[in-house]
Amino acid sequence: MEPLDPYDNPIKCIFVCHFHHTAGPKILCQVPKDFMSKDTFETVSVYMIPKGQLQKFIITITTRDNKILGYPIQINDQKYLRNAYYFNLCFVCDHNSHTLHYEPIVKKLSSFLLNLEIEDNFLSKSDQSEKTQEELLCLMSKVMDDLNLYKRCTLIARQSIIYLNVIEVSRNPPTPLDFDVPLPVSEIDLLDEQWDLTTRQVAPFIDGVNHVCKISELSKLDIEVVAACIQNLVYCNAVSLVDLFRYSNMYVCTTKIGQLARNKSRYDEAISAISRPSGPKATFKDIFTVFSAMRQGSRFIDVCLRFNPVSINIDERNLVLYGLANGYIRQLRKYPVVLKEKDVEKTYMGNYYNGLNSLNIISCFTNSDVYHLDEEIERDIRIVSVWK
């Protein structure tokens, strides 16, 4: 059974291999014992003890069952029979796991072993010394157990100490759909050197209104390039993704709305962002009242008909964008479900109506008009809709 989370895989094995002057590539120590068979090691040994160009580079090898992460090191010294000593410390994880968060640990632990070898021939004499080999085995066992259990380890050997910590790596956000709208949540300073040329070309068109397709058209870039750029901006917390603004959307207040009411320093910002560009400013009381009316069961068109935002100088689009950007409201999405399995084939695009696809996603995947889909769903008594 494959693991549910590729970032949350334990280390299955740690082994240290080296190049023996007569036997060639050889496993010096492994935990647990005999995890890496002789045949398996021989298959990958050319990558475990590679040529000089790959020394001190992270190397990842994926086999049918495992992913091996190593950092080969070469020590040049005339005290060795071949005037050099080669070794590699390797972590073994499940074959479909991500190992990026282990890379700094492998490099740091390899440098630790390098220092021990330079000072006391710690690795090279382990072949002849049972005591040294036992010490190495205990060290690797502690590393594996502590990292798997506690995500950290403190290692002491020969008056040297090292601290190892597994740093959590953020998951990649989903690839934006064609009609997703990137909403700025923090300022993108195009003078900042961290942004590449594509971001500099895409960013001017990210305004909370243009969807991915429109941005691709305006920036004259392929839609795949634009989607990858926006995905990176989501990862950097510079933008978030929202659906196209529609009066048929449903929004609800979050618990953060209370913070807006109590934080008077945000009043002027909210008024400035939400008021219509012409005419007098909206009042904070009216803004907060409209926000508070957004609840499950009321589409945004119902809220607008009730309060008539134009009459109280509120720009309804900016109201929604400001609320989403600051987390004061969130959107509820419609997920159609065919009640009976026998009706799936009889229903228009019934295979998509499984409760896992929102109406917006279905319209993107099938290149269908969302309003037409909505009307079809509402008319079909075999379909119910879940809002979440």
PDB file of all heavy atoms in Angstrom, residues 264-283:
ATOM      1  N   LYS A 264      -9.857  49.080  14.847  1.00  0.00           N
ATOM      2  CA  LYS A 264     -10.243  50.360  14.235  1.00  0.00           C
ATOM      3  C   LYS A 264      -9.190  50.881  13.266  1.00  0.00           C
ATOM      4  O   LYS A 264      -9.495  51.701  12.405  1.00  0.00           O
ATOM      5  CB  LYS A 264     -10.521  51.387  15.330  1.00  0.00           C
ATOM      6  CG  LYS A 264     -11.747  51.054  16.169  1.00  0.00           C
ATOM      7  CD  LYS A 264     -12.078  52.174  17.154  1.00  0.00           C
ATOM      8  CE  LYS A 264     -13.330  51.831  17.943  1.00  0.00           C
ATOM      9  NZ  LYS A 264     -13.696  52.919  18.892  1.00  0.00           N
ATOM     10  N   SER A 265      -7.953  50.384  13.397  1.00  0.00           N
ATOM     11  CA  SER A 265      -6.908  50.844  12.483  1.00  0.00           C
ATOM     12  C   SER A 265      -7.147  50.348  11.060  1.00  0.00           C
ATOM     13  O   SER A 265      -6.569  50.883  10.105  1.00  0.00           O
ATOM     14  CB  SER A 265      -5.535  50.360  12.969  1.00  0.00           C
ATOM     15  OG  SER A 265      -5.469  48.944  12.964  1.00  0.00           O
ATOM     16  N   ARG A 266      -8.016  49.343  10.900  1.00  0.00           N
ATOM     17  CA  ARG A 266      -8.324  48.824   9.568  1.00  0.00           C
ATOM     18  C   ARG A 266      -9.530  49.516   8.937  1.00  0.00           C
ATOM     19  O   ARG A 266      -9.835  49.267   7.765  1.00  0.00           O
ATOM     20  CB  ARG A 266      -8.592  47.310   9.638  1.00  0.00           C
ATOM     21  CG  ARG A 266      -7.459  46.464  10.193  1.00  0.00           C
ATOM     22  CD  ARG A 266      -6.205  46.549   9.343  1.00  0.00           C
ATOM     23  NE  ARG A 266      -6.399  46.055   7.991  1.00  0.00           N
ATOM     24  CZ  ARG A 266      -6.237  44.778   7.630  1.00  0.00           C
ATOM     25  NH1 ARG A 266      -5.891  43.875   8.536  1.00  0.00           N
ATOM     26  NH2 ARG A 266      -6.394  44.405   6.386  1.00  0.00           N
ATOM     27  N   TYR A 267     -10.241  50.343   9.705  1.00  0.00           N
ATOM     28  CA  TYR A 267     -11.460  50.964   9.188  1.00  0.00           C
ATOM     29  C   TYR A 267     -11.188  51.756   7.919  1.00  0.00           C
ATOM     30  O   TYR A 267     -11.864  51.593   6.902  1.00  0.00           O
ATOM     31  CB  TYR A 267     -12.086  51.883  10.234  1.00  0.00           C
ATOM     32  CG  TYR A 267     -12.809  51.180  11.373  1.00  0.00           C
ATOM     33  CD1 TYR A 267     -12.620  49.824  11.624  1.00  0.00           C
ATOM     34  CD2 TYR A 267     -13.684  51.878  12.199  1.00  0.00           C
ATOM     35  CE1 TYR A 267     -13.261  49.191  12.668  1.00  0.00           C
ATOM     36  CE2 TYR A 267     -14.345  51.252  13.248  1.00  0.00           C
ATOM     37  CZ  TYR A 267     -14.124  49.912  13.484  1.00  0.00           C
ATOM     38  OH  TYR A 267     -14.767  49.280  14.517  1.00  0.00           O
ATOM     39  N   ASP A 268     -10.196  52.646   7.979  1.00  0.00           N
ATOM     40  CA  ASP A 268      -9.915  53.527   6.832  1.00  0.00           C
ATOM     41  C   ASP A 268      -9.479  52.717   5.620  1.00  0.00           C
ATOM     42  O   ASP A 268      -9.854  53.033   4.482  1.00  0.00           O
ATOM     43  CB  ASP A 268      -8.832  54.545   7.199  1.00  0.00           C
ATOM     44  CG  ASP A 268      -9.322  55.586   8.197  1.00  0.00           C
ATOM     45  OD1 ASP A 268     -10.559  55.755   8.292  1.00  0.00           O
ATOM     46  OD2 ASP A 268      -8.478  56.204   8.872  1.00  0.00           O
ATOM     47  N   GLU A 269      -8.676  51.664   5.862  1.00  0.00           N
ATOM     48  CA  GLU A 269      -8.229  50.817   4.757  1.00  0.00           C
ATOM     49  C   GLU A 269      -9.418  50.145   4.081  1.00  0.00           C
ATOM     50  O   GLU A 269      -9.511  50.112   2.842  1.00  0.00           O
ATOM     51  CB  GLU A 269      -7.262  49.753   5.276  1.00  0.00           C
ATOM     52  CG  GLU A 269      -6.762  48.798   4.192  1.00  0.00           C
ATOM     53  CD  GLU A 269      -5.990  47.629   4.766  1.00  0.00           C
ATOM     54  OE1 GLU A 269      -6.631  46.619   5.147  1.00  0.00           O
ATOM     55  OE2 GLU A 269      -4.757  47.732   4.821  1.00  0.00           O
ATOM     56  N   ALA A 270     -10.327  49.596   4.884  1.00  0.00           N
ATOM     57  CA  ALA A 270     -11.502  48.916   4.337  1.00  0.00           C
ATOM     58  C   ALA A 270     -12.383  49.887   3.557  1.00  0.00           C
ATOM     59  O   ALA A 270     -12.845  49.583   2.453  1.00  0.00           O
ATOM     60  CB  ALA A 270     -12.297  48.257   5.461  1.00  0.00           C
ATOM     61  N   ILE A 271     -12.589  51.072   4.121  1.00  0.00           N
ATOM     62  CA  ILE A 271     -13.435  52.078   3.453  1.00  0.00           C
ATOM     63  C   ILE A 271     -12.824  52.498   2.123  1.00  0.00           C
ATOM     64  O   ILE A 271     -13.508  52.594   1.096  1.00  0.00           O
ATOM     65  CB  ILE A 271     -13.640  53.295   4.376  1.00  0.00           C
ATOM     66  CG1 ILE A 271     -14.523  52.904   5.574  1.00  0.00           C
ATOM     67  CG2 ILE A 271     -14.250  54.466   3.612  1.00  0.00           C
ATOM     68  CD1 ILE A 271     -14.583  53.962   6.658  1.00  0.00           C
ATOM     69  N   SER A 272     -11.523  52.713   2.120  1.00  0.00           N
ATOM     70  CA  SER A 272     -10.840  53.144   0.900  1.00  0.00           C
ATOM     71  C   SER A 272     -10.873  52.059  -0.177  1.00  0.00           C
ATOM     72  O   SER A 272     -11.052  52.363  -1.368  1.00  0.00           O
ATOM     73  CB  SER A 272      -9.390  53.500   1.235  1.00  0.00           C
ATOM     74  OG  SER A 272      -8.675  53.841   0.070  1.00  0.00           O
ATOM     75  N   ALA A 273     -10.728  50.797   0.225  1.00  0.00           N
ATOM     76  CA  ALA A 273     -10.682  49.694  -0.741  1.00  0.00           C
ATOM     77  C   ALA A 273     -12.050  49.347  -1.301  1.00  0.00           C
ATOM     78  O   ALA A 273     -12.157  48.876  -2.440  1.00  0.00           O
ATOM     79  CB  ALA A 273     -10.067  48.462  -0.083  1.00  0.00           C
ATOM     80  N   ILE A 274     -13.097  49.567  -0.530  1.00  0.00           N
ATOM     81  CA  ILE A 274     -14.428  49.063  -0.893  1.00  0.00           C
ATOM     82  C   ILE A 274     -15.342  50.149  -1.458  1.00  0.00           C
ATOM     83  O   ILE A 274     -16.271  49.853  -2.220  1.00  0.00           O
ATOM     84  CB  ILE A 274     -15.067  48.380   0.337  1.00  0.00           C
ATOM     85  CG1 ILE A 274     -14.245  47.126   0.697  1.00  0.00           C
ATOM     86  CG2 ILE A 274     -16.514  48.008   0.101  1.00  0.00           C
ATOM     87  CD1 ILE A 274     -14.619  46.487   2.006  1.00  0.00           C
ATOM     88  N   SER A 275     -15.103  51.413  -1.138  1.00  0.00           N
ATOM     89  CA  SER A 275     -15.974  52.495  -1.625  1.00  0.00           C
ATOM     90  C   SER A 275     -15.913  52.616  -3.141  1.00  0.00           C
ATOM     91  O   SER A 275     -14.883  52.324  -3.768  1.00  0.00           O
ATOM     92  CB  SER A 275     -15.562  53.832  -0.995  1.00  0.00           C
ATOM     93  OG  SER A 275     -15.760  53.823   0.397  1.00  0.00           O
ATOM     94  N   ARG A 276     -17.010  53.044  -3.735  1.00  0.00           N
ATOM     95  CA  ARG A 276     -17.040  53.274  -5.174  1.00  0.00           C
ATOM     96  C   ARG A 276     -16.131  54.455  -5.505  1.00  0.00           C
ATOM     97  O   ARG A 276     -15.982  55.395  -4.712  1.00  0.00           O
ATOM     98  CB  ARG A 276     -18.467  53.557  -5.644  1.00  0.00           C
ATOM     99  CG  ARG A 276     -19.417  52.383  -5.374  1.00  0.00           C
ATOM    100  CD  ARG A 276     -20.811  52.665  -5.889  1.00  0.00           C
ATOM    101  NE  ARG A 276     -20.848  52.604  -7.346  1.00  0.00           N
ATOM    102  CZ  ARG A 276     -20.951  51.478  -8.055  1.00  0.00           C
ATOM    103  NH1 ARG A 276     -21.019  50.307  -7.422  1.00  0.00           N
ATOM    104  NH2 ARG A 276     -20.977  51.503  -9.363  1.00  0.00           N
ATOM    105  N   PRO A 277     -15.476  54.426  -6.685  1.00  0.00           N
ATOM    106  CA  PRO A 277     -14.483  55.464  -7.005  1.00  0.00           C
ATOM    107  C   PRO A 277     -15.060  56.861  -7.103  1.00  0.00           C
ATOM    108  O   PRO A 277     -14.360  57.847  -6.868  1.00  0.00           O
ATOM    109  CB  PRO A 277     -13.913  55.003  -8.352  1.00  0.00           C
ATOM    110  CG  PRO A 277     -14.934  54.058  -8.911  1.00  0.00           C
ATOM    111  CD  PRO A 277     -15.585  53.410  -7.743  1.00  0.00           C
ATOM    112  N   SER A 278     -16.326  56.978  -7.467  1.00  0.00           N
ATOM    113  CA  SER A 278     -16.950  58.303  -7.565  1.00  0.00           C
ATOM    114  C   SER A 278     -18.010  58.450  -6.477  1.00  0.00           C
ATOM    115  O   SER A 278     -18.638  57.479  -6.058  1.00  0.00           O
ATOM    116  CB  SER A 278     -17.588  58.484  -8.945  1.00  0.00           C
ATOM    117  OG  SER A 278     -18.563  57.483  -9.177  1.00  0.00           O
ATOM    118  N   GLY A 279     -18.171  59.657  -6.007  1.00  0.00           N
ATOM    119  CA  GLY A 279     -19.155  59.908  -4.960  1.00  0.00           C
ATOM    120  C   GLY A 279     -18.572  59.832  -3.572  1.00  0.00           C
ATOM    121  O   GLY A 279     -17.367  59.597  -3.392  1.00  0.00           O
ATOM    122  N   PRO A 280     -19.387  59.982  -2.545  1.00  0.00           N
ATOM    123  CA  PRO A 280     -18.904  59.943  -1.153  1.00  0.00           C
ATOM    124  C   PRO A 280     -18.447  58.554  -0.752  1.00  0.00           C
ATOM    125  O   PRO A 280     -18.783  57.554  -1.390  1.00  0.00           O
ATOM    126  CB  PRO A 280     -20.143  60.380  -0.349  1.00  0.00           C
ATOM    127  CG  PRO A 280     -21.301  60.053  -1.227  1.00  0.00           C
ATOM    128  CD  PRO A 280     -20.835  60.232  -2.638  1.00  0.00           C
ATOM    129  N   LYS A 281     -17.662  58.498   0.319  1.00  0.00           N
ATOM    130  CA  LYS A 281     -17.159  57.224   0.827  1.00  0.00           C
ATOM    131  C   LYS A 281     -18.268  56.431   1.506  1.00  0.00           C
ATOM    132  O   LYS A 281     -19.189  57.004   2.104  1.00  0.00           O
ATOM    133  CB  LYS A 281     -16.022  57.450   1.822  1.00  0.00           C
ATOM    134  CG  LYS A 281     -14.789  58.135   1.237  1.00  0.00           C
ATOM    135  CD  LYS A 281     -14.051  57.210   0.292  1.00  0.00           C
ATOM    136  CE  LYS A 281     -12.737  57.831  -0.186  1.00  0.00           C
ATOM    137  NZ  LYS A 281     -12.029  56.963  -1.151  1.00  0.00           N
ATOM    138  N   ALA A 282     -18.162  55.121   1.428  1.00  0.00           N
ATOM    139  CA  ALA A 282     -19.079  54.264   2.182  1.00  0.00           C
ATOM    140  C   ALA A 282     -18.751  54.350   3.668  1.00  0.00           C
ATOM    141  O   ALA A 282     -17.629  54.710   4.051  1.00  0.00           O
ATOM    142  CB  ALA A 282     -18.943  52.824   1.703  1.00  0.00           C
ATOM    143  N   THR A 283     -19.713  54.043   4.504  1.00  0.00           N
ATOM    144  CA  THR A 283     -19.455  54.027   5.949  1.00  0.00           C
ATOM    145  C   THR A 283     -19.019  52.631   6.374  1.00  0.00           C
ATOM    146  O   THR A 283     -19.408  51.625   5.743  1.00  0.00           O
ATOM    147  CB  THR A 283     -20.702  54.420   6.747  1.00  0.00           C
ATOM    148  OG1 THR A 283     -21.713  53.406   6.570  1.00  0.00           O
ATOM    149  CG2 THR A 283     -21.247  55.770   6.265  1.00  0.00           C
TER     150      THR A 283
END
